Amino acid sequence: MLVATSMVLVAVPASGAAPIIVPATVTASNWTVAPNVSSSLDLSQQGVSCVTSTFCMAVGALNEADPSTALPAAQMWDGSGWTSVTVQQPANPGSHLDAVSCVSATWCVAVGQTDVTNSTNQTLIEQWDGSRFSVVAATSPSNQSYLDGVSCLNTSFCMAVGASTNTSSLFAQWNGSSWSFTTSGAPLGESIPNLTAVSCGRTVNCMAVGYINNPGISGQAALAYHWDGSAWEGTLPSNLPAPINDNIFRSVSCVGPFDCTAAGYAYNSNGAGFAAEVPLVETWKDVKWSAPATLPPVPHVGLGLDGISCFSETSCTAVGNNYLAANGSTYDTAALTWDGQTWAMASTPNDSNLPNTSYFNGVDCLTDWACMAVGNASNGSTLSAFAAWAPIARSGYRFVASDGGVFNYGSGAPFLGSNGAMPWPFPVVGMATSPAGDGYYLVSSDGGIFAFGSATNYGSIGVIPGLQPLNKPIVGMAVTADGGGYWLVASDGGVFAFGDAQFLGSAGAIVLNKPIVGMAATPNGLGYYLVASDGGIFTYGNATFAGSMGGRPLNKPVVGMAVPVTGGYYLVASDGGIFSFPTGSSGPPFFGSTGAIVLNKPVVGMTVTAEGTGYYLGAADGGIFSFPEGPAGPTFYGSRGGQPLNSPIVGVSG
């Protein structure tokens, strides 16, 4: 069976126009403590980067309470808890890591500083190879420099920022083989710049933020630099709240070439203390900064933001801490969420062993899973790592018909286009949603790909008939965890990989008892499952076989499968019967089925909710069934059941 890894024919909507991206509205809610490493360690967590639901990396330091003896440290999230990983120690103590950016489970960059003497320090850069962090040889521009933020788009492009000699902003760029450093004076004459974070939406668009100290003025002023692909240009946002010298940007997140959101805090430098601190959020769009966002009232005496993560124009989460006392002696975690209309306070947990001493330093949100926030709790002399996560609540689902018509329900599943009015000689057989929910693919039986919204066409098999015939028709597809590729599967088990999707094997050369009817990727995208109509399961990559219905009697054939973020998998039959594997308490929970219900039309597929707490079944007439039923189950937003359709529904997607 042919393995396709490059584009043969790009199937696009008849208009040929670029699709309009309409971001999905999603919210990080229901924060839960993420089991952490031993609380007996004096351990800080300063930054975090997540690639999948089963891989996040957090960095910080051991012995953080005594900066002269601090040692860089890192912890890895595996989907159920955090464990410490090996970090190469610099020659000198007094070193720490402040930020990390990962592009895969085997490639991350962490940055910080290492002390050279008691009065001088240099930049520290370490790289993760899947098993340990190693120091990267990089020449600092001076013996008084550090890096506080890093953003990597791939293994060939990273930007890191900080400061040098207390007089210049510091920028470091990774080109795939080495780091290069440049410096830039701050926009004000006698300013002392400090860059704390950077985010790159493209290789020609990065935003770095921080603040300046100016000997001629009291307080601090928020600072930003923009990278246009060739140079950094510094600006002082002009719309800051008065007095403008009492504002700090601590973090930034970019979701596109001209859309970045910075978070920090405003305060009063006249001695009012922590009680005068309020959160600050501004958006840079269309090459200019907006007025500060309207934020909810501070719930206690003060609130500051230290981290922000956005993955669409309508979904951001910012984290930090509430000050419970005006002198800053007690505090707890804080989080704000943006839904495209308003910022709202979220309820967050705190370290139960050290009440009133918890705070968040950083956050990273995965579009198809959750937001992970990391920080610390303190007993006054030592720090304990503290982390929490909140699932992404995406509301809605979509149907696709065999003529390419798309029907959407719920605000989190916007309509982005369809093939309903486009003549195509092959029927559409399925659809798959991009991780953020702001794009989707339709696939036809000849392997033609139709991309809408943010979904990118990385290639297809659909060609002029006879030029590249398929042994068997395509029956389904799955998207990679980062949205940068996809797999197609044919009824004989042949697999075709496009974009960054890895070909990990197929059943194309196997004599099958029954045809393949669908596929699903593992949560981290490093493997996939194929399912046959008899319920047989075929696993590739890190997909783990947990059981099947192969060889067992079925009332109706299996028509599809779904993999929840919590692991395991579901199979669904055309009568709506549900089979979960592994069986028992270790497997995904059974929430209900239509196996005993007389259906108007057969079930054609299923989709699980983003947090894995329920699922929807879709029927050929557009009927929808949500489980578990009742208030605890996923919301019913509507269906096509009982309404006329030009062609039958063939798939359902979240």
Side-chain angles (χ1 to χ4, degrees):
M1 191 72 182
L2 174 68
V3 177
T5 57
S6 61
M7 183 170 63
V8 178
L9 175 70
V10 179
V12 298
S15 66
I20 298 174
I21 298 175
V22 181
T25 299
V26 290
T27 303
S29 58
N30 303 320
W31 288 83
T32 302
V33 174
N36 221 311
V37 295
S38 173
S39 60
S40 64
L41 296 175
D42 182 4
L43 173 66
S44 72
Q45 286 183 324
Q46 298 296 322
V48 63
S49 180
C50 295
V51 178
T52 69
S53 62
T54 58
F55 182 84
C56 297
M57 189 67 72
V59 299
L62 290 166
N63 307 325
E64 179 77 1
D66 181 2
S68 65
T69 62
L71 300 172
Q75 300 81 45
M76 182 175 65
W77 169 261
D78 64 3
S80 59
W82 294 90
T83 56
S84 294
V85 299
T86 301
V87 178
Q88 182 180 352
Q89 300 301 313
N92 303 304
S95 304
H96 53 85
L97 296 171
D98 293 305
V100 62
S101 182
C102 299
V103 299
S104 73
T106 59
W107 205 90
C108 304
V109 169
V111 301
Q113 70 178 54
T114 180
D115 285 357
V116 178
T117 67
N118 290 334
S119 59
T120 61
N121 48 268
Q122 289 184 335
T123 58
L124 174 62
I125 303 175
E126 300 218 14
Q127 185 172 311
W128 169 258
D129 63 3
S131 61
R132 69 192 305 268
F133 275 101
S134 300
V135 174
V136 177
T139 303
S140 297
S142 73
N143 282 334
Q144 190 64 39
S145 55
Y146 63 87
L147 295 171
D148 254 356
V150 63
S151 178
C152 297
L153 293 178
N154 50 55
T155 58
S156 298
F157 182 88
C158 298
M159 283 290 188
V161 299
S164 177
T165 64
N166 287 333
T167 60
S168 301
S169 299
L170 177 62
F171 307 94
Q173 181 175 352
W174 170 256
N175 63 7
S177 59
S178 63
W179 287 90
S180 59
F181 290 85
T182 58
T183 59
S184 175
L188 292 182
E190 296 183 3
S191 303
I192 301 174
N194 298 270
L195 293 179
T196 57
V198 62
S199 179
C200 296
R202 304 285 191 276
T203 58
V204 295
N205 176 66
C206 299
M207 185 65 72
V209 300
Y211 58 94
I212 57 171
N213 294 313
N214 193 309
I217 60 175
S218 62
Q220 297 160 313
L223 172 66
Y225 283 86
H226 177 247
W227 167 261
D228 64 4
S230 60
W232 289 94
E233 180 181 359
T235 62
L236 290 176
S238 59
N239 296 311
L240 292 169
I244 66 168
N245 299 320
D246 290 348
N247 299 275
I248 288 177
F249 282 156
R250 294 287 300 164
S251 185
V252 64
S253 182
C254 298
V255 297
F258 301 107
D259 194 333
C260 303
T261 302
Y265 50 88
Y267 64 102
N268 194 324
S269 59
N270 65 5
F274 296 97
E277 190 168 300
V278 295
L280 173 64
V281 176
E282 280 207 42
T283 297
W284 185 83
K285 193 171 185 179
D286 299 327
V287 200
K288 62 182 180 181
W289 288 97
S290 64
T294 301
L295 302 177
V298 173
H300 302 291
V301 300
L303 193 159
L305 298 174
D306 286 305
I308 187 169
S309 181
C310 304
F311 55 76
S312 79
E313 294 178 356
T314 57
S315 181
C316 294
T317 296
V319 301
N321 65 283
N322 295 298
Y323 287 107
L324 308 178
N327 64 1
S329 60
T330 56
Y331 37 83
D332 61 16
T333 60
L336 300 177
T337 60
W338 169 252
D339 65 1
Q341 299 292 327
T342 59
W343 284 92
M345 290 290 301
S347 178
T348 56
N350 295 280
D351 191 323
S352 59
N353 296 317
L354 297 170
N356 299 332
T357 63
S358 302
Y359 56 91
F360 288 142
N361 290 320
V363 63
D364 194 20
C365 297
L366 283 181
T367 57
D368 60 344
W369 174 56
C371 292
M372 178 70 77
V374 300
N376 296 98
S378 172
N379 65 4
S381 59
T382 61
L383 296 176
S384 298
F386 179 72
W389 65 276
I392 300 298
R394 183 186 304 129
S395 57
Y397 43 83
R398 302 179 181 93
F399 292 114
V400 63
S402 62
D403 63 353
V406 172
F407 307 90
N408 66 303
Y409 299 91
S411 61
F415 176 79
L416 303 171
S418 77
N419 284 4
M422 173 186 172
W424 191 252
F426 302 95
V428 167
V429 294
M431 75 182 305
T433 303
S434 60
D438 57 359
Y440 48 79
Y441 298 94
L442 310 184
V443 60
S444 56
S445 63
D446 67 328
I449 290 291
F450 307 85
F452 300 91
S454 68
T456 299
N457 193 311
Y458 296 103
S460 71
I461 314 169
V463 294
I464 299 173
L467 183 61
Q468 184 182 313
L470 289 168
N471 294 333
K472 293 291 182 179
I474 296 297
V475 293
M477 71 180 301
V479 178
T480 58
D482 63 0
Y486 43 80
W487 298 273
L488 310 183
V489 64
S491 64
D492 63 353
V495 172
F496 305 83
F498 297 88
D500 66 3
Q502 301 179 51
F503 176 77
L504 302 169
S506 77
I510 300 173
V511 177
L512 302 173
N513 294 327
K514 293 291 182 178
I516 298 296
V517 293
M519 74 181 307
T522 58
N524 65 7
L526 300 179
Y528 47 80
Y529 302 89
L530 309 183
V531 60
S533 64
D534 63 350
I537 291 290
F538 304 85
T539 61
Y540 303 92
N542 73 339
T544 301
F545 179 80
S548 77
M549 294 301 294
R552 300 163 66 178
L554 294 170
N555 293 330
K556 294 292 182 179
V558 167
V559 293
M561 71 180 304
V563 175
V565 295
T566 50
Y569 45 85
Y570 294 102
L571 310 184
V572 60
S574 64
D575 61 352
I578 294 291
F579 310 92
S580 62
F581 298 96
T583 57
S585 59
S586 62
F590 173 80
F591 294 115
S593 76
T594 61
I597 300 174
V598 177
L599 301 174
N600 293 327
K601 293 292 182 180
V603 167
V604 295
M606 72 180 299
T607 183
V608 294
T609 59
E611 61 272 20
T613 57
Y615 44 75
Y616 296 98
L617 310 184
D621 61 351
I624 196 78
F625 307 90
S626 59
F627 298 97
E629 298 178 284
T635 302
F636 173 80
Y637 294 102
S639 76
R640 295 291 298 180
Q643 302 178 53
L645 293 170
N646 294 329
S647 298
I649 298 298
V650 293
V652 59
S653 180

